[in-house]
Amino acid sequence: MTIEITSPYDQSFIKELSLTGKNEIDKILNTAQNLFLDQSKWIPAYKRIEILEKTAAIMADRIEDLLVTAVSEGGKPYQDSKAEVLRAIKGVKLAAEHISQLKGEQIPMALTEASLNRVAFTSKEPIGIVVAVSAFNHPLNLAVHQIATAFAAGCPVIFKPATATPLSSLALREILKEAGLPEGWLQIILCDNEAAELLVTDPRVNFFSFIGSAKVGWYLKSKLSPGTRCALEHGGAAPVIVESDADFKEMIPDLVKGGFYHAGQVCVSVQRIYVNQKIVERFIEAFAAATTKLVTGNPLDQKTDVGPLITPKEVNRVEKWVNEAIKKGAKLITGGKRISDTFFQPTVLFNPSEDSKVSTTEIFGPVVCIYSFTNRDEAIKRANALNVHFQAAVFTKNIDIALETVKKLNATAVMVNDHTAFRVDWMPFGGRDASGIGMGGISYAINEMTREKLTVFKSKLI
């Protein structure tokens, strides 16, 4: 069986690739297991550092090629895809640097008579076989976060990219091979859901890394073999609290970027903005004006701000949700219409009902909802009302309000005077509650893919 990779921009054919059948899964797992069980085949730390450093150098020489590949398969505009490629290179460097930080500690002994004549210490070991399933929206950088981290930890990794965007990870694999990655340490497979479930739930898998929908992630977690650890990164419906003293000059560009970056196809995209009633009319006017200036079009055009959605099916869904919100009483401020089979206008809605899809579910499209409030605690309560909690934000110049809001918002990260989609690759990143489990970020992911071993020496001479 094969699958066709097409451009989200115009649905044009890019490449045809073979799918891995479920009868091949056992061989793939055996390859990884044989590498891990034979410690003579483990790659020493210095060699892992060399390979990752060389990988980063090769990537830096091929920025334009990697960029065009990512834009073509994923549809993210040129400038944003360039930022992704540069982040991916930095991520590989961070993975190489963190290898030297994989260390244990001494555990004190002789604190009781029973612990006399002993010395104890912990050390870090690779956890084992890592199976990583990824999403479409950052095809190169997500691959780095799941592949480079596993390799840095010393684990063989089996990587399943999104079927819509596999080309960036395949390009990364070729670069890693060129940099000296031994055979078998990275296996990339494209497969259907049945084969993927067979792979993920196999007892040989020691760690499962998942980036994607909550429905799929939590289902697969429920099927994991006993002892398989996991990290799940799902979506959110990121809330923002805007107080009356917020700085419009700084705030509006940030929030527009955070809402419409990659056409809203970002797990921490700005979705729900709660604005103090005192400034809400001014806010809507400024936000709408900035939104209408966004350029929608060919993602390879460097002037484009908003590109296509990943498939026409997603355009249909977003259109349906927007129409439902308007029917239930939301005021359409700007946008609201499909441009083509693959594009939807950047859209701003005011005060959609609390039971509308746009208020209760991650939109993953170019739609931002604005709500007014008179009581900040009530706004925070509404912001926290959903079961998804990832990143959030507050805009204010009052430090007490900022700190109080940070404390009360249910989120793994709260940005003060910045949009919810801010991220650098060395910071912890992940959802809580229904939004995920475990923590991403290069160093955090590497640590998740290791386990501690305690060594205790007993000697009368100690």
Side-chain angles (χ1 to χ4, degrees):
M1 293 179 63
T2 61
I3 188 169
E4 289 188 355
I5 313 303
T6 59
S7 164
Y9 170 57
D10 58 8
Q11 298 297 286
S12 61
F13 173 82
I14 299 176
K15 194 169 186 177
E16 186 174 17
L17 295 171
S18 297
L19 286 176
T20 300
K22 62 180 183 179
N23 59 322
E24 300 173 69
I25 296 299
D26 188 64
K27 181 181 177 182
I28 290 166
L29 283 163
N30 274 336
T31 297
Q33 187 181 44
N34 290 337
L35 285 174
F36 184 68
L37 292 181
D38 185 352
Q39 292 194 13
S40 69
K41 296 178 181 176
W42 287 14
I43 305 171
Y46 83 91
K47 192 66 178 175
R48 281 179 271 145
I49 292 170
E50 286 179 3
I51 290 169
L52 289 172
E53 286 179 342
K54 188 171 181 181
T55 296
I58 296 171
M59 290 173 74
D61 288 338
R62 298 178 190 171
I63 288 175
E64 191 67 22
D65 290 343
L66 292 168
L67 170 56
V68 170
T69 298
V71 173
S72 299
E73 67 174 346
K76 188 189 297 178
Y78 184 96
Q79 294 296 344
D80 294 330
S81 289
K82 184 174 183 179
E84 178 185 345
V85 173
L86 294 175
R87 279 182 58 190
I89 295 168
K90 179 63 175 176
V92 174
K93 292 179 179 178
L94 287 168
E97 291 166 2
H98 190 68
I99 292 172
S100 66
Q101 301 305 308
L102 294 175
K103 58 184 183 294
E105 63 179 358
Q106 183 175 344
I107 307 300
M109 291 287 125
L111 301 180
T112 62
E113 185 177 356
S115 61
L116 285 170
N117 303 123
R118 289 167 176 85
V119 62
F121 58 89
T122 61
S123 55
K124 291 285 185 73
E125 294 182 339
I127 193 170
I129 296 172
V130 173
V131 168
V133 175
S134 202
F136 74 85
N137 53 340
H138 310 292
L140 182 61
N141 199 42
L142 293 183
V144 164
H145 273 260
Q146 292 175 290
I147 293 171
T149 51
F151 178 68
C155 301
V157 57
I158 304 166
F159 181 76
K160 180 195 173 299
T163 51
T165 56
L167 302 179
S168 292
S169 59
L170 292 172
L172 176 62
R173 180 185 65 183
E174 295 310 305
I175 291 174
L176 279 161
K177 284 184 177 181
E178 188 177 337
L181 181 69
E183 193 68 31
W185 283 88
L186 168 61
Q187 300 176 85
I188 294 182
I189 66 168
L190 281 172
C191 61
D192 60 20
N193 292 337
E194 186 180 1
E197 183 173 340
L198 190 66
L199 170 67
V200 169
T201 58
D202 191 279
R204 286 167 286 188
V205 176
N206 301 95
F207 191 88
F208 173 48
S209 170
F210 178 83
I211 302 173
S213 75
K215 180 180 179 180
V216 175
W218 291 119
Y219 169 77
L220 289 173
K221 180 182 182 295
S222 74
K223 299 291 185 179
L224 292 179
S225 181
T228 301
R229 280 170 34 189
C230 69
L232 311 177
E233 183 186 307
H234 302 143
V240 180
I241 306 295
V242 177
E243 263 299 353
S244 57
D245 64 341
D247 186 326
F248 272 66
K249 187 176 180 181
E250 295 178 359
M251 171 176 61
I252 296 300
D254 280 349
L255 287 177
V256 170
K257 181 67 176 179
F260 299 109
Y261 166 67
H262 197 10
Q265 298 172 117
V266 180
C267 57
V268 287
S269 176
V270 171
Q271 180 169 326
R272 299 175 293 146
I273 308 177
Y274 298 90
V275 184
N276 190 303
Q277 181 68 41
K278 295 176 183 177
I279 62 166
V280 70
E281 289 187 9
R282 181 184 167 205
F283 180 91
I284 290 171
E285 181 181 354
F287 191 87
T291 300
T292 57
K293 292 178 182 177
L294 295 172
V295 176
T296 303
N298 187 338
L300 282 170
D301 187 335
Q302 296 189 35
K303 295 179 181 178
T304 295
D305 297 306
V306 181
L309 290 163
I310 191 66
T311 64
K313 179 182 177 182
E314 294 303 301
V315 177
N316 295 339
R317 177 186 59 79
V318 170
E319 181 180 48
K320 182 178 179 180
W321 287 15
V322 168
N323 288 339
E324 177 212 43
I326 294 171
K327 187 176 181 180
K328 288 188 173 185
K331 181 179 180 181
L332 178 64
I333 302 300
T334 188
K337 303 291 183 184
R338 68 165 57 234
I339 298 171
S340 67
D341 287 344
T342 56
F343 282 85
F344 197 85
Q345 290 178 329
T347 297
V348 181
L349 299 172
F350 179 53
N351 275 341
S353 66
E354 295 292 337
D355 64 343
S356 297
K357 283 276 200 315
V358 296
S359 294
T360 61
T361 309
E362 181 180 30
I363 298 172
F364 229 60
V367 180
V368 173
C369 302
I370 300 171
Y371 310 81
S372 61
F373 74 84
T374 53
N375 181 284
R376 186 171 62 257
D377 280 339
E378 183 61 29
I380 293 171
K381 183 179 178 181
R382 291 162 67 191
N384 289 340
L386 306 184
N387 67 344
V388 287
H389 305 113
F390 208 139
Q391 296 197 167
V394 55
F395 282 81
T396 180
K397 293 301 181 182
N398 185 311
I399 191 169
D400 291 333
I401 291 175
L403 291 173
E404 180 189 33
T405 305
V406 168
K407 182 179 180 181
K408 291 181 177 179
L409 280 170
N410 187 3
T412 50
V414 181
M415 311 302 158
V416 179
N417 296 321
D418 204 349
H419 62 72
T420 60
F422 171 77
R423 182 186 184 184
V424 290
D425 299 287
W426 54 90
M427 77 187 219
F429 184 82
R432 59 168 62 167
D433 303 322
S435 287
I437 187 171
M439 197 57 66
I442 296 295
S443 61
Y444 298 87
I446 295 171
N447 289 336
E448 293 255 2
M449 295 173 188
T450 64
R451 52 188 172 188
E452 283 193 329
K453 177 174 283 182
L454 173 67
T455 303
V456 182
F457 276 93
K458 179 182 179 182
S459 170
K460 292 180 181 179
L461 300 178
I462 296 174

